[in-house]
Amino acid sequence: MDLSLLLRGLIIGLAIAAPVGPIGVLTIRRTLANGWAIGFATGLGAATADATYGAVAAFGLAAVSGALASAQLWLRLIGGVALIMLGLRTLRAKPATATATAPTPAGLLAAWGSTVLLTLTNPATIISFTAIFAGIGVAGSGYAGAAIIVLGVLLGSATWWLLLSGGVTLLRERLGPHILRWANVLSGLVLAAFGVVALASVAISAWPHR
């Protein structure tokens, strides 16, 4: 195994996952409301989607990339609506209790799957991966090298979500119901705002230009 490619993948995965965005807000909120396991499963869904798009870019799947690019307006529309709905639901949610109940397998799968789908509504991620991989010369490393770097992306992204959900869990134990209620309000507003921005970008892209 080429450890240098794995290390590059780890760094790329961390860099893609770390910036604050709707998935980060959702992971923090679910960790506060439901505990570490649900929070990490949420982040792991984003890591899975990142690795999926990374694989499309690394293996040069032009047909898949082209299809996603042509459908990106619809995907962004779906993602924007989903974020607004999540935001409104979060605003209405009751504050979490101090002790989270043990998550069920179905709950973990739902947290993971919903985030996979939500993250996949941003096909522009493929463009980012394509540019990054071209810069570090993934194309010349063959299928084995591409697989290694995609594995690194998955592990790097998952590491970030592990650290984030773990850190929020430690903080959660020190927060009272009043602060958790405000955390719901803030999270809901931020998620809804991301959704509005996504819908606005769709409207701007679809508007006929002269």
Side-chain angles (χ1 to χ4, degrees):
M1 178 181 290
D2 190 334
L3 293 181
S4 65
L5 281 177
L6 183 64
L7 180 59
R8 293 178 200 176
L10 281 166
I11 294 172
I12 293 169
L14 283 168
I16 292 290
V20 177
I23 303 302
V25 173
L26 185 61
T27 298
I28 292 171
R29 193 266 160 181
R30 284 182 176 174
T31 303
L32 288 173
N34 305 108
W36 173 81
I38 292 293
F40 180 56
T42 298
L44 199 58
T48 303
D50 285 343
T52 300
Y53 275 153
V56 171
F59 288 100
L61 302 177
V64 176
S65 180
L68 289 170
S70 64
Q72 65 174 316
L73 284 182
W74 285 105
L75 290 172
R76 281 155 52 195
L77 177 64
I78 294 170
V81 172
L83 285 172
I84 291 174
M85 292 177 63
L86 276 172
L88 294 176
R89 190 171 68 179
T90 301
L91 281 171
R92 297 194 301 266
K94 295 180 180 179
T97 57
T99 304
T101 58
T104 63
L108 292 171
L109 183 61
W112 173 82
S114 62
T115 317
V116 170
L117 295 176
L118 188 59
T119 308
L120 288 177
T121 61
N122 184 21
T125 307
I126 290 182
I127 299 175
S128 300
F129 277 118
T130 301
I132 294 171
F133 290 168
I136 63 176
V138 173
S141 59
Y143 289 127
I148 292 171
I149 201 166
V150 170
L151 175 61
V153 168
L154 176 62
L155 294 177
S157 183
T159 298
W160 168 253
W161 299 117
L162 177 64
L163 293 173
L164 180 63
S165 57
V168 173
T169 299
L170 294 176
L171 179 63
R172 181 183 188 275
E173 298 172 355
R174 296 171 172 79
L175 301 179
H178 181 70
I179 296 178
L180 290 173
R181 171 56 188 158
W182 278 107
N184 278 354
V185 172
L186 180 60
S187 299
L189 290 174
V190 172
L191 288 170
F194 275 117
V196 170
V197 170
L199 294 183
S201 71
V202 171
I204 292 172
S205 300
W207 192 266
H209 298 284
R210 293 185 178 180

